[in-house]
Amino acid sequence: MKSLRLQVMLTVAIAVLLIWGASSAVAWVQVRHEIDELFDTQQLQFARQLLAADLHDFDDDSARLPRGKALLPKPLPSAQRGNLEDDALAFIVWDDQGRVVFSDGENKDFALPSGQHGFYDMKLDGEDWRVLYLPMPDGHRVVAVGQELDFRNEVAREVLTAQLLPWLLALPLLLLALWVTLTRRLAPFRRVTEQLQSRRLDDSAPLVADVPSEAAPMLAALNQLVGRMADTLLRERRFTADAAHELRTPLAALKIQAEVAQLGLPPADQARALSQLEVGVDRATRLVNQLLALTRLDPMAGPQNAQAVDWARVLRQVAADVAADAANQGITLQLDGDMARALPLQGDETLLTLMLRNLADNAIRYAQAGGEVVLQASPDAITVLDSGPGIDPALMPRIRERFFRPPGQAQAGSGLGLSIVERVAALHGLHLELENRPEGGLLARLRRG
């Protein structure tokens, strides 16, 4: 059974019935005890009255009383005759010779006790009775007052029925009220379902529903998920469009260079065309690698192999990766700072190496020949400094956009390097700061966000 409404109703119905049954059992014991106490007291009082009565004027015939209903005149209306139980009590009075002095006329076989007195439970004619034997202090008379236990049980059942039956009859009304309440409170979830079914994939508007307070966190989380999915879809569409546009240019250039190389040009021109073809292949390869890196980084929620980062090892690896390019450009590459006390961080060293390699590669490509690039470590930040032209302040707000490249750039690039840097930094709780240095060049600083 997967219906929450049916599960709740079934649970409540079973719980109510179990509680009702347990309370009925407890109530039966308590009511039966009180009724026994009441009727035992009644029997004792009646027995005392019989012992105190003057019974000398009764003869053998008058000593047997007729039933109570027979004593009431017939013309009396039923309301005045009352609701009587003639067998509620039976009694016999014996004298000291064992003769019946007085009785209720039922001739119950209350055997004359021999020195016994008090209450006894016994079988009379196959029925259970409770009999009180009470003697006079002088022993001249003994009275027995009995009552059928079925009468007591009937009274107890009627009392319990009057008290418990209305609660049992109210159970269907309780279940109906529960059904209506659950239906009304579950209606917002149906509206949420309808909104989800009619929603576009790129719609990031929050779902609106008056859900119970217990479900509000779930709705908030669902709205966050919807927003992330819409943002992810939007980024993927933009990423796909930008990647297609960016790949079209180098592929077209590669095709042109390949066609030129096949024209039968002089060796020098053919070598130049093949060189340009190699440069185009390198550019396309770099672009594809960066696209693949972003595709892998975007879905990540955090570093997968987090451990204490050894910045000395990371920075040395970055320096080794870009050393050849720096030498070809005539750029001096150096490491600076206290590596042992560098920014404490738990992270993925492979991703951090990729992040710093992109910053170092940009610094080398834009630095002037004979300049320098410094990888600097400090207790609160990791910094890459170069001696290039810096960034036009007017373009600073857009420099982080994917595929954006400042106009008039001679250096090859895809415009994805800073996007990769920012994504890896965000996964590690770091923030990228870009500043133009007063002495010339760019400062790229990574510190905790």
Side-chain angles (χ1 to χ4, degrees):
M1 185 187 301
K2 296 184 179 180
S3 171
L4 174 62
R5 182 163 44 193
L6 292 179
Q7 287 182 7
V8 171
M9 291 190 63
L10 182 61
T11 301
V12 170
I14 293 176
V16 169
L17 290 175
L18 290 177
I19 294 173
W20 183 85
S23 62
S24 298
V26 174
W28 171 263
V29 174
Q30 292 178 337
V31 169
R32 195 66 177 77
H33 172 75
E34 295 298 327
I35 287 178
D36 284 342
E37 184 176 343
L38 173 64
F39 285 118
D40 283 354
T41 303
Q42 184 186 50
Q43 282 182 256
L44 180 61
Q45 293 294 331
F46 186 47
R48 291 178 61 194
Q49 292 174 1
L50 288 173
L51 290 176
D54 185 5
L55 304 178
H56 294 88
D57 295 336
F58 289 96
D59 54 24
D60 291 340
D61 294 331
S62 62
R64 302 290 188 269
L65 290 178
R67 287 181 175 269
K69 291 182 179 179
L71 295 175
L72 293 173
K74 291 294 184 181
L76 283 178
S78 59
Q80 294 180 1
R81 290 199 300 269
N83 298 316
L84 304 178
E85 289 286 351
D86 279 331
D87 57 353
L89 288 174
F91 63 89
I92 299 179
V93 182
W94 296 279
D95 61 13
D96 54 0
Q97 300 299 318
R99 295 188 298 256
V100 175
V101 177
F102 191 54
S103 75
D104 63 343
E106 294 293 328
N107 296 320
K108 292 297 181 183
D109 187 16
F110 298 153
L112 180 65
S114 56
Q116 297 179 353
H117 61 275
F119 285 94
Y120 293 90
D121 293 330
M122 59 182 61
K123 286 277 189 180
L124 297 176
D125 299 330
E127 296 177 348
D128 294 322
W129 283 72
R130 185 166 177 80
V131 182
L132 168 65
Y133 294 99
L134 188 65
M136 289 282 286
D138 57 7
H140 291 297
R141 191 181 300 170
V142 177
V143 63
V145 178
Q147 187 172 54
E148 192 175 352
L149 291 181
D150 282 347
F151 175 74
R152 296 190 180 193
N153 292 333
E154 181 181 354
V155 173
R157 284 194 297 269
E158 290 178 354
V159 171
L160 283 178
T161 300
Q163 295 295 322
L164 298 177
L165 184 59
W167 292 102
L168 183 62
L169 296 178
L171 178 58
L173 297 178
L174 172 64
L175 295 179
L176 178 61
L178 183 61
W179 178 277
V180 173
T181 301
L182 287 174
T183 300
R184 294 183 59 185
R185 298 312 297 163
L186 291 174
F189 294 98
R190 185 171 60 252
R191 289 193 287 272
V192 170
T193 302
E194 293 171 353
Q195 292 181 52
L196 287 173
Q197 290 174 340
S198 61
R199 177 178 292 263
R200 300 191 313 273
L201 291 177
D202 58 351
D203 187 357
S204 61
L207 300 168
V208 179
D210 184 21
V211 298
S213 58
E214 293 82 358
M218 182 186 68
L219 182 62
L222 185 59
N223 280 328
Q224 293 177 359
L225 177 61
V226 168
R228 290 198 302 270
M229 290 178 61
D231 291 342
T232 300
L233 181 61
L234 182 61
R235 284 198 307 269
E236 288 183 353
R237 286 177 177 176
R238 186 172 60 242
F239 181 82
T240 302
D242 291 340
H245 174 75
E246 292 297 322
L247 283 171
R248 188 181 299 114
T249 301
L251 291 177
L254 287 175
K255 183 177 180 181
I256 293 174
Q257 296 298 332
E259 291 174 350
V260 170
Q262 295 175 358
L263 292 177
L265 298 175
D269 294 335
Q270 191 175 34
R272 188 180 305 108
L274 291 175
S275 177
Q276 293 295 325
L277 182 61
E278 184 178 2
V279 171
V281 171
D282 290 341
R283 179 184 176 188
T285 301
R286 176 182 176 81
L287 176 60
V288 170
N289 288 336
Q290 290 188 319
L291 288 173
L292 292 175
L294 280 174
T295 302
R296 183 168 62 92
L297 291 171
D298 273 341
M300 294 177 62
Q304 297 178 347
N305 301 310
Q307 57 184 354
V309 177
D310 184 351
W311 285 110
R313 180 167 58 220
V314 171
L315 292 174
R316 284 196 296 268
Q317 181 62 49
V318 172
D321 291 343
V322 300
D325 291 338
N328 291 336
Q329 298 291 334
I331 303 298
T332 301
L333 184 65
Q334 60 176 316
L335 303 179
D336 188 24
D338 186 355
M339 300 295 174
R341 300 177 55 196
L343 176 68
L345 186 68
Q346 292 285 327
D348 188 331
E349 292 188 1
T350 301
L351 295 180
L352 294 172
T353 301
L354 172 65
M355 175 185 70
L356 291 177
R357 187 164 57 239
N358 274 276
L359 288 177
D361 183 66
N362 283 345
I364 291 171
R365 285 191 291 114
Y366 290 101
Q368 297 177 355
E372 65 176 2
V373 171
V374 180
L375 305 179
Q376 188 179 76
S378 66
D380 63 344
I382 302 296
T383 307
V384 178
L385 305 100
D386 64 52
S387 56
I391 299 175
D392 186 347
L395 299 177
M396 191 67 79
R398 297 194 58 196
I399 198 65
R400 302 166 188 260
E401 295 179 7
R402 291 186 178 183
F403 300 106
F404 176 78
R405 299 186 69 239
Q409 289 290 331
Q411 289 82 1
S414 62
L416 294 175
L418 289 182
S419 295
I420 294 174
V421 171
E422 286 205 307
R423 182 58 185 150
V424 176
L427 292 175
H428 290 81
L430 301 176
H431 176 66
L432 174 64
E433 299 175 354
L434 299 176
E435 299 177 7
N436 287 317
R437 302 171 63 194
E439 64 272 25
L442 184 70
L443 176 149
R445 182 186 297 114
L446 292 158
R447 64 171 68 210
R448 296 188 187 276

